[in-house]
């Protein structure tokens, strides 16, 4: 691999919150490999209105110097020529591809596009079959973890230690940490349970009735704890129902915080509970142990959050791996077969671990079940 003296790099990355967190180790590897490079990020505009833009997750002034957004899947020649013109004007000589799995046809189209933009050095485009489809990881026996697949795509830059905490650092600013402290009255005196009930896909939604039942029970079992609900603005009403079920010390931050301020908040939480959605990956990135309530839309493994102490709940009916965003025929039987007591048991498993591992400023507890 050779990088020209201009040291002008383009990172090609599509996705929103959870996808971006999965790519964090790659972003760190690129920045550490080229500390003085001028880096441009080419990414998609969020497909859904509630999805966070990539730059809102990575922040400014560290992982990249500027961003070029485009509508994903566009075939508009004027838009594509405009992007080529921007890339040429920046005199970019290297593109690094850390995007999700792509077909051979799409990958070839991407290569031709970047060649047309005058880029001579392409990294991460020489895909093996395991980069084009979701494969079983021989080490785990389940689908390969997305962070591992992405790291392999750019192994020409060197290996990436996915267990290294520094590779998951969001590089939160002092201002973002201070904003989180204000929401938490600067110094939380009680242990914190953070939750997010949101998800982009109906098939991943456990249902407000289950959340209400869970929080009613947990409130009685964790009387000293504070509840913090994070999420998008359209989740405020459901969050209020959850807070009513909790019945006391709670705060609804849906629609009030950026993803990065949410990350700073989650760093102070003792435990996070959520769906297979962006917030669980955000919580895991900052080291908060997670209970994940997963549908079988995707088979286990690929979209698990980082961390060795998470408890991930899923059932695999015969229709598992359907990929459906909306499940009507099977009536979400995979995720709805997960009951409240199973979630409480998962919470208990994590909190028993914390009786040993929690630092002094975080209370520990376990549930009497």
């Amino acid at each position: 691999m050779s990088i020209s003296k201009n040291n002008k790099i383009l990172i090609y990355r599509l996705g929103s919150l959870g996808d971006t967190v999965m790519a964090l180790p790659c972003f760190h590897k690129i920045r550490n490999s080229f500390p003085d490079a001028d880096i441009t990020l080419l990414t998609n505009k969020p497909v859904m209105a509630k999805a966070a833009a990539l730059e809102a997750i990575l922040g400014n002034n560290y992982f990249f110097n500027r961003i070029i957004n485009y509508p994903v899947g566009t075939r508009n020649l004027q838009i594509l020529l405009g992007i080529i013109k921007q890339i040429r004007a920046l005199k970019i000589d290297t593109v690094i591809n850390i995007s999700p799995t792509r077909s051979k046809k799409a990958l070839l189209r991407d290569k031709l596009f970047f060649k047309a933009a005058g880029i001579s050095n392409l990294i991460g485009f020489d895909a093996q079959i395991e980069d084009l489809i979701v494969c079983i990881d021989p080490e785990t026996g389940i689908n390969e973890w997305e962070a591992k697949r992405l790291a392999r795509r750019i192994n020409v830059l060197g290996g990436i230690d996915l267990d290294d905490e520094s590779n998951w650092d969001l590089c939160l600013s002092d201002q973002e940490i201070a904003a989180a402290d204000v929401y938490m009255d600067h110094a939380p005196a009680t242990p914190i349970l953070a939750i997010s009930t949101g998800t982009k896909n109906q098939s991943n939604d456990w249902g407000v009735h289950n959340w209400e039942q869970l929080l009613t029970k947990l409130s009685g079992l964790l009387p000293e704890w504070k509840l913090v609900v994070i999420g998008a603005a359209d989740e405020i009403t459901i969050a209020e129902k959850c807070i009513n079920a909790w019945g006391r010390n709670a705060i609804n931050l849906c629609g009030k915080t950026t993803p990065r301020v949410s990350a700073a908040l989650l760093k102070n939480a003792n435990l996070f509970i959520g769906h297979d959605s962006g917030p669980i990956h955000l919580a895991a990135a900052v080291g908060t142990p997670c209970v994940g309530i997963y549908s079988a839309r995707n088979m286990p493994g690929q979209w698990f959050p980082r961390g060795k102490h998470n408890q991930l709940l899923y059932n695999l009916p015969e229709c598992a791996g359907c990929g459906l965003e909306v499940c009507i025929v099977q009536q979400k039987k995979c995720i709805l077969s997960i009951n409240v007591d199973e979630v409480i048991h998962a919470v208990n498993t994590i909190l028993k671990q914390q009786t040993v591992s929690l630092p002094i400023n975080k209370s520990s507890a376990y549930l009497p079940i």
Side-chain angles (χ1 to χ4, degrees), residues 6-13 38-43 66-70 78-96 109-122 125:
N6 289 333
N7 219 17
K8 299 284 189 72
I9 292 173
L10 178 78
I11 300 176
Y12 180 43
R13 173 67 206 177
D38 181 88
I39 297 179
T40 301
L41 177 62
L42 177 63
T43 189
R66 72 190 58 80
I67 192 161
I68 300 174
N69 282 299
Y70 75 99
Q78 186 175 2
I79 292 175
L80 294 174
L81 289 175
I83 296 171
I84 287 175
K85 184 177 180 180
Q86 289 182 72
I87 293 173
R88 282 185 169 275
L90 290 167
K91 295 182 170 54
I92 291 169
D93 49 65
T94 299
V95 58
I96 302 175
R109 189 168 60 240
D110 291 341
K111 292 175 74 171
L112 293 174
F113 174 84
F114 290 118
K115 288 290 186 182
I119 300 179
S120 58
N121 194 23
L122 277 64
F125 289 87

Side-chain angles (χ1 to χ4, degrees), residues 29 51 59 72-73 103 140 142 150 156 164 191 234 238 294 304 353:
K29 185 64 177 180
V72 68
S103 69
T140 63
I142 58 178
L150 291 170
V156 68
D164 187 341
D234 63 358
I238 293 176
Y294 273 51
F304 282 179
Q353 296 169 348

Side-chain angles (χ1 to χ4, degrees), residues 112-363:
L112 293 174
F113 174 84
F114 290 118
K115 288 290 186 182
I119 300 179
S120 58
N121 194 23
L122 277 64
I123 297 173
F125 289 87
D126 297 325
Q128 305 299 315
I129 185 64
E130 58 266 28
D131 292 314
L132 302 174
I133 61 174
V134 180
C135 292
I136 299 297
D137 188 333
E139 294 182 11
T140 63
I142 58 178
N143 282 349
E144 183 182 30
W145 192 29
E146 181 69 0
K148 184 177 180 180
R149 184 192 69 81
L150 291 170
R152 187 181 63 251
R153 288 292 297 276
I154 61 169
N155 59 15
V156 68
L157 301 180
I160 301 176
D161 184 356
L162 298 176
D163 291 324
D164 187 341
E165 294 283 336
S166 66
N167 282 326
W168 297 94
D169 188 357
L170 283 159
C171 302
L172 300 172
S173 69
D174 291 341
Q175 291 82 0
E176 289 161 340
I177 293 169
D181 286 344
V182 169
Y183 282 117
M184 301 309 299
D185 297 326
H186 298 281
T190 60
I192 296 169
L193 169 63
I195 70 167
S196 176
T197 66
T199 173
K200 291 183 292 185
N201 300 315
Q202 175 262 8
S203 56
N204 283 341
D205 189 351
W206 193 41
V208 64
H209 177 67
N210 281 322
W211 281 103
E212 288 176 315
Q213 281 193 318
L214 173 66
L215 291 165
T216 297
K217 287 189 174 184
L218 284 178
S219 179
L221 295 168
L222 299 172
E224 302 300 322
W225 287 52
K226 180 173 186 174
L227 176 68
V228 176
V229 190
I230 65 167
D234 63 358
E235 297 159 24
I236 290 174
T237 301
I238 293 176
E240 285 301 320
K241 291 181 179 180
C242 290
I243 286 173
N244 289 338
W246 182 256
R248 50 185 171 76
N249 194 8
I251 182 170
N252 184 352
L253 294 179
C254 290
K256 296 182 179 179
T257 61
T258 66
R260 291 176 61 80
V261 171
S262 292
L265 286 160
L266 290 169
K267 193 174 180 66
N268 290 320
N270 299 83
L271 176 69
F272 174 87
I273 307 175
H275 294 128
D276 176 11
S277 192
I280 197 170
H281 295 287
L282 204 61
V286 297
T288 299
C290 301
V291 173
I293 305 169
Y294 273 51
S295 75
R297 175 178 180 265
N298 298 307
M299 297 298 282
Q302 182 185 12
W303 296 108
F304 282 179
R306 72 165 288 250
K308 300 183 184 302
H309 301 294
N310 302 319
Q311 293 289 307
L312 306 176
L313 304 173
Y314 56 89
N315 293 321
L316 300 177
E318 66 281 357
C319 53
C322 64
L324 292 174
E325 295 181 0
V326 178
C327 176
I328 302 298
V329 174
Q330 299 295 338
Q331 299 182 349
K332 301 196 299 185
K333 65 182 182 182
C334 54
I335 192 167
L336 294 183
S337 65
I338 299 171
N339 63 52
V340 167
D341 287 340
E342 287 179 281
V343 180
I344 291 176
H345 181 77
V347 169
N348 193 39
T349 299
I350 289 177
L351 295 184
K352 282 181 177 179
Q353 296 169 348
Q354 289 186 348
T355 58
V356 176
S357 61
L358 273 181
I360 287 218
N361 67 330
K362 287 190 175 183
S363 298

